[in-house]
Amino acid sequence: MNFEPYPFEKLNHLLEGITPNPELTPSVLTIGEPQFETPEFIQKSLQESSSLLKKYPKTGGETNLREAMRNFVEKRFSTKLSDAQIIPTFGTREVLFNFPQFLLFEKENPVMAYTNPFYQIYEGAALATRSKVIHLNLNEANNFKPEINEEELSSCDLVILNFPNNPTSSVLTKEELAEWVYLALKHNFVLLNDECYSELYTDKPIPSLLEASTYAGNTTFKNILVINSISKRSSAPGLRSGFIAGDENILAEYMKYRTYVGCASPLPLQSAAAAAWNDEAHVESSRKVYKKNFEIAQEILGTPIPDATFYLWIKVKDALGFTKKLYKKYNVKVLPGEYLAREDTKGQNPGIGYIRIALVENEEKTKEALQRIKECLDEQ
């Protein structure tokens, strides 16, 4: 298997040998890791449950964590799940890598489709399963939403969507998601939406594929799955708490598979995660911070405020050249869009000519970094 280096490794190689301006404080806007303290009540829960380290955790998660996750889904998406329709996971990255291996193991010539640009673990899973890949390109001409090609989709075994989207910040309406539900049922492929940015909305709550499935009349979530995480919503990526939810028939077999994977979350982490999933007040505070950062970007760069996430997807003339110049002259790191995408069968890479900026710092640092980026943009 020929796994591609991760985008950050490619960035390090691109910037190798460049000395950044020593007169400016370094600013790193490359990784989607919130640079804020994890809320105190979550930390306290972790500390108070440290004695549980003496016990083995269950692969399927403790009752209090499962209930907290189900409560979150019911309150946030008006969707009531049975215990069989949700599995706590060790974050979502591991799911995105091992679920396709579970699902496609017996397929002779598996086919995966996923949004492009993409979170690179999708590509890793495709390589691990030796799948043929269909790229669902996200282009400005289509408002960074995937175009539907039924002929291609009819051959798919697994389709991975990612809305709200990393890196373009685009979203799909409930009706648009429902179109994908209809396709999954019509062509009998499994449809999974990566919803890890669903809680970082700037105005109206973003719909889940679960809501869209119910809207489409698929109340049992046949062929439908979603994943979600507290990493972004709670500034707690170190807790590694996520879930996969939806089709209980698929999840029953996947649960058996997971007992062999050995990725059960330690009990203190589960206790802290349950506290985080059960609380909404701290998430509202996070949303306000990220929206303020978008407002600062709008003021400085003139960029519109996205519906969700904390990313800006900005068009530039030469992303690689711009990234190097920005680092050398202004001591700011951003990520070239082409590192987050691949050429499709027509030789098109939808990431070329864009940079991704992660607005994960406080207001003061964000303003300073964006002012430097503005100067560099003006010099193009």
Side-chain angles (χ1 to χ4, degrees):
M1 287 180 281
N2 185 23
F3 288 102
E4 283 272 346
Y6 245 57
F8 310 109
E9 185 178 342
K10 291 182 178 180
L11 179 65
N12 290 337
H13 181 71
L14 177 71
L15 301 180
E16 189 176 4
I18 297 176
T19 301
N21 189 339
E23 296 181 4
L24 296 173
T25 303
S27 180
V28 180
L29 305 179
T30 55
I31 188 169
E33 180 182 69
Q35 298 301 297
F36 305 101
E37 287 296 318
T38 301
E40 187 175 348
F41 78 94
I42 300 176
Q43 296 188 48
K44 185 177 180 182
S45 178
L46 178 63
Q47 294 163 1
E48 292 177 348
S49 57
S50 62
S51 63
L52 296 175
L53 285 171
K54 66 182 180 181
K55 297 183 178 181
Y56 280 115
K58 299 175 184 175
T59 300
E62 298 302 304
T63 300
N64 64 330
L65 178 60
R66 298 177 73 98
E67 288 182 350
M69 291 173 167
R70 288 164 61 199
N71 288 339
F72 161 75
V73 173
E74 184 172 4
K75 290 177 183 177
R76 173 64 176 83
F77 302 115
S78 301
T79 301
K80 192 173 182 62
L81 297 175
S82 70
D83 198 51
Q85 291 174 318
I86 192 166
I87 298 175
T89 61
F90 199 58
T92 54
R93 184 171 173 176
E94 58 100 344
V95 182
L96 288 165
F97 188 65
N98 68 46
F99 176 77
Q101 294 177 62
F102 149 78
L103 184 73
L104 305 177
F105 179 76
E106 294 183 348
K107 299 287 184 180
E108 186 173 346
N109 297 296
V111 179
M112 280 179 62
Y114 47 81
T115 48
N116 183 36
F118 54 83
Y119 178 32
Q120 194 159 319
I121 205 70
Y122 308 162
E123 180 181 73
L127 286 167
T129 55
R130 295 178 172 81
S131 294
K132 173 187 174 183
V133 172
I134 296 172
H135 289 119
L136 306 173
N137 285 359
L138 307 179
N139 298 305
E140 184 178 15
N142 200 38
N143 295 316
F144 300 107
K145 298 180 180 184
E147 294 185 0
I148 292 174
N149 183 323
E150 282 209 48
E151 184 178 350
E152 287 188 330
L153 291 172
S154 65
S155 68
C156 286
D157 299 297
L158 172 64
V159 175
I160 301 178
L161 300 179
N162 171 213
F163 293 97
N165 184 255
N166 168 21
T168 69
S169 295
S170 59
V171 300
L172 295 184
T173 65
K174 182 170 65 175
E175 291 75 16
E176 288 170 330
L177 287 169
E179 288 185 48
W180 285 92
V181 175
Y182 296 135
L183 288 168
L185 296 175
K186 179 179 179 180
H187 298 293
N188 196 31
F189 60 76
V190 173
L191 177 65
L192 184 152
N193 193 28
D194 178 350
E195 301 182 355
C196 288
Y197 292 90
S198 69
E199 302 315 286
L200 300 187
Y201 53 85
T202 53
D203 185 15
K204 298 178 181 178
I206 303 300
S208 167
L209 182 64
L210 295 177
E211 292 176 280
S213 184
T214 300
Y215 175 79
N218 185 20
T219 57
T220 63
F221 310 117
K222 176 178 169 57
N223 288 7
I224 302 300
L225 296 164
V226 303
I227 62 166
N228 214 321
S229 163
I230 61 169
S231 295
K232 319 297 183 183
R233 75 184 288 273
S234 300
S235 298
L239 278 183
R240 310 310 302 138
S241 179
F243 65 74
I244 182 170
D247 189 324
E248 64 180 83
N249 293 316
I250 295 175
L251 292 182
E253 294 304 311
Y254 181 49
M255 187 65 235
K256 294 177 187 177
Y257 171 86
R258 289 184 65 80
T259 61
Y260 291 89
V261 175
C263 53
S265 177
L267 294 177
L269 297 187
Q270 290 195 44
S271 294
W277 283 110
N278 274 322
D279 184 81
E280 186 64 22
H282 75 288
V283 189
E284 180 59 31
S285 297
S286 296
R287 280 194 282 267
K288 290 178 180 178
V289 169
Y290 294 126
K291 183 174 182 178
K292 180 60 179 178
N293 283 348
F294 280 136
E295 290 172 347
I296 293 171
Q298 185 178 52
E299 180 182 343
I300 295 175
L301 302 179
T303 52
I305 297 176
D307 291 323
T309 81
F310 43 51
Y311 295 117
L312 290 178
W313 187 241
I314 296 180
K315 185 180 290 188
V316 294
K317 292 179 180 178
D318 171 15
L320 299 182
F322 180 86
T323 300
K324 290 192 288 185
K325 180 178 180 180
L326 182 65
Y327 180 57
K328 182 177 182 178
K329 189 172 181 179
Y330 295 97
N331 209 344
V332 177
K333 284 185 178 181
V334 296
L335 201 59
E338 56 211 77
Y339 291 173
L340 298 165
R342 297 288 182 268
E343 287 188 359
D344 60 14
T345 54
K346 298 178 182 178
Q348 299 175 331
N349 181 324
I352 288 179
Y354 290 89
I355 56 169
R356 190 190 76 175
I357 302 173
L359 299 182
V360 293
E361 293 281 4
N362 62 37
E363 182 177 335
E364 181 182 355
K365 291 182 178 179
T366 296
K367 186 175 295 185
E368 171 62 27
L370 290 175
Q371 285 172 340
R372 296 188 214 170
I373 291 173
K374 173 67 163 59
E375 290 184 40
C376 197
L377 286 169
D378 288 344
E379 294 170 1
Q380 287 191 103

